[in-house]
Amino acid sequence: MHRIRTALVATTILAAAGAASATDLEVTHWWTSGGEAAAVKAFADAFNAAGNNWVDGAIAGSGDTARATMISRITGGDPMGATQFNHGRQAEELVEAGLMRDLTDVAEAEGWIDLVHPKGLLDACTVDGKIYCVPVNIHSWQWIWLSNKAFEDAGVPVPSNWDEFVAAAPALEAAGKIPLAMGQQSWQTSGAFQVLMVALAGPEVFQKVYGDHDAEVAAGPDVARVFKAADDARKMSQKSNVQDWNQATNLVITGKAGGQIMGDWAQGEFQVAGQVAGEHYTCLPGLGINEVISTGGDAFYFPKLDDEELSAAQAKLASLMLSKQVQVDFNLKKGSLPVRGDVDLAAANDCMKKGLEILAKGNIISDTNQLMSPDSLGQINDLFVEFFNDNNITPEDAQERFAQIVAAAD
């Protein structure tokens, strides 16, 4: 009995020592919907299982709101342990100010340059030859999500492309459905416009406008066609009186709306609701016209911390986020594609498989966050909030203003 008691005491001491050595690391992000919360738990569980403690710093609201809070904390001397940004230039000034940790040592030790695909994702993390972030997924805007039930109720076939979707709008309205679900946040309306541009005008026009800042193309006939389609989208979404993107997704899930133009993160909401791709909902990459994947998504940056224990925890988290199993666990829940090309995604649903096939073909475009500064994109966002909320702004007037923003973009 004495030996058993001694063993129990020793076990208790070891457990206490292990708990005491666990490092708390605050991680800020804007993943607060049901599907997003399920996905971020995959990161937290892996980090905690490695002997540390994920302190969740979810910030409610849009990504723009969250980023403002994150940047304010970092520049104000109250940094978190790790923070989410999108692929691209959102953390550029923080890196240039010397406030973010250089992860090159971790990246080189684990061969990130050979693991991350497409390579441009790691390039977006690189400043002056040094790597400052961990890309964790590929999220593409280029999708429309359709409610099979809504079209069945309306007595029309599920569309196979954008033109068929527009043609079905009167039948949906007659059946009491909202043709197009759309939240009222600025990034949602401008994002829908970008999807329309790639689908209708093509990837080359998209690159000239957002990548090359070609104001002549932005003012030309190809983009005029896109603004006409945006006007159609505006009319079809008039009764979509919701704010958040996931509320709009829920209108599709419940059959109250015909469809939603939204990134593949919407898949997480369908999954949480128990819906099956191909049975309850249909997904059309590139609106069924131009099947491409934009290489947007999320990356994690690590502010510089003057604490060896916290720095070690940062390195561990960075490593885990790119590990094979965590990439699978996270992305299957998030609805996004992994940044590693060597992981097993046998459990992927029909829509994710479509995305993987497009990615494998190399049909990719850069995300707007990789092509324009946050300030320029903010001006475009503001324009589309006005356009979608004020029918007095004609497509021609909106296009003229758009071309002026593109001309001055950086």
Side-chain angles (χ1 to χ4, degrees), residues 29-47 54 56 84 136-137 139 245 264-265 267-269 271-272 298 300 321 325-336 352:
H29 58 87
W30 56 82
W31 289 327
T32 57
S33 75
E36 290 172 328
V40 78
K41 188 175 183 295
F43 284 149
D45 287 349
F47 187 62
W54 174 290
D56 199 67
Q84 172 195 10
V136 296
N137 62 3
H139 261 320
W245 71 269
D264 51 14
W265 47 89
Q267 287 195 86
E269 302 306 300
Q271 185 169 303
V272 167
D298 305 289
F300 277 81
M321 284 177 161
Q325 192 58 51
V326 175
Q327 275 282 296
V328 171
D329 293 345
F330 170 76
N331 284 293
L332 285 178
K333 291 181 174 65
K334 192 69 168 62
S336 48
M352 185 178 285

Side-chain angles (χ1 to χ4, degrees), residues 132-207:
Y132 287 91
C133 68
V134 185
V136 296
N137 62 3
I138 301 169
H139 261 320
S140 175
W141 251 108
Q142 314 301 316
W143 300 84
I144 186 167
W145 308 90
L146 305 172
S147 166
N148 290 1
K149 181 180 186 301
F151 288 96
E152 181 181 346
D153 291 347
V156 292
V158 176
S160 62
N161 58 51
W162 174 254
D163 290 338
E164 291 179 6
F165 178 76
V166 175
L172 288 168
E173 290 177 326
K177 312 291 184 182
I178 301 166
L180 183 64
M182 185 172 293
Q184 300 305 305
Q185 293 163 324
S186 62
W187 64 272
Q188 296 183 59
T189 50
S190 62
F193 175 79
Q194 293 157 18
V195 174
L196 288 165
M197 181 179 291
V198 175
L200 302 177
E204 297 80 8
V205 169
F206 172 82
Q207 175 62 36

Side-chain angles (χ1 to χ4, degrees), residues 81-156:
T83 189
Q84 172 195 10
F85 285 103
N86 293 125
H87 297 321
R89 300 173 57 184
Q90 292 174 351
E92 189 173 71
E93 293 182 359
L94 295 173
V95 171
E96 292 172 347
L99 296 172
M100 308 307 279
R101 174 176 175 168
D102 177 3
L103 296 171
T104 306
D105 57 339
V106 181
E108 290 181 346
E110 301 192 353
W112 289 2
I113 194 169
D114 297 318
L115 295 177
V116 175
H117 175 74
K119 183 179 177 293
L121 298 177
L122 200 58
D123 291 341
C125 288
T126 304
V127 178
D128 295 332
K130 297 179 180 179
I131 297 170
Y132 287 91
C133 68
V134 185
V136 296
N137 62 3
I138 301 169
H139 261 320
S140 175
W141 251 108
Q142 314 301 316
W143 300 84
I144 186 167
W145 308 90
L146 305 172
S147 166
N148 290 1
K149 181 180 186 301
F151 288 96
E152 181 181 346
D153 291 347
V156 292

Side-chain angles (χ1 to χ4, degrees), residues 217-280:
V217 173
D222 289 328
V223 176
R225 181 185 174 202
V226 180
F227 270 94
K228 170 60 174 65
D231 187 37
D232 290 337
R234 174 170 64 175
K235 292 171 183 173
M236 290 188 292
S237 63
Q238 287 296 298
K239 295 182 180 180
S240 180
N241 297 317
V242 294
Q243 183 72 12
D244 296 331
W245 71 269
N246 53 306
Q247 293 174 319
T249 306
N250 189 60
L251 292 174
V252 179
I253 290 171
T254 56
K256 296 176 182 177
Q260 179 192 22
I261 298 175
M262 184 51 58
D264 51 14
W265 47 89
Q267 287 195 86
E269 302 306 300
F270 286 102
Q271 185 169 303
V272 167
Q275 296 213 336
V276 178
E279 180 180 342
H280 301 104

